[in-house]
Amino acid sequence: QWRIVFTVVDPRRNEPNLCITVRNLDGARVEGGCFKQNGTTFVYKAGTFYLDINSAHIWSVAVEQNG
C-alpha cells in the first residue's frame, strides 16, 4: 500500500481542479481521481507506475510508502 499526498494552492472554484491518474508502464489507468482541495489518496496495488497530473492551479504531490 502506498499513498499520494497532494496540495492545491489556489482552490477558488467549486470544481475539481487537480486530476491525478496513476498509470502502469503501458499507459493503462490503474487508479485516479480529480480533487477540489488538499488530501490523500491510497493505492493498494504493487508494481511500477507513473503519475499523470493535470491542473490549472499551483499544486504539489508527494508519493509515500505506507506501512
Side-chain angles (χ1 to χ4, degrees):
Q1 170 183 336
W2 49 284
R3 64 185 174 207
I4 303 168
V5 180
F6 51 89
T7 60
V8 182
V9 176
D10 192 14
R12 285 187 243 162
R13 297 171 23 204
N14 196 22
E15 299 173 14
N17 54 23
L18 175 64
C19 296
I20 303 171
T21 303
V22 178
R23 297 188 183 278
N24 66 20
L25 294 181
D26 293 330
R29 183 184 184 279
V30 175
E31 292 277 337
C34 293
F35 309 97
K36 294 187 239 182
Q37 58 191 13
N38 301 345
T40 301
T41 186
F42 292 88
V43 181
Y44 299 96
K45 300 196 186 295
T48 303
F49 307 99
Y50 68 92
L51 301 180
D52 183 1
I53 300 172
N54 185 7
S55 179
H57 299 278
I58 299 169
W59 53 270
S60 69
V61 171
V63 175
E64 301 175 348
Q65 185 173 343
N66 200 27

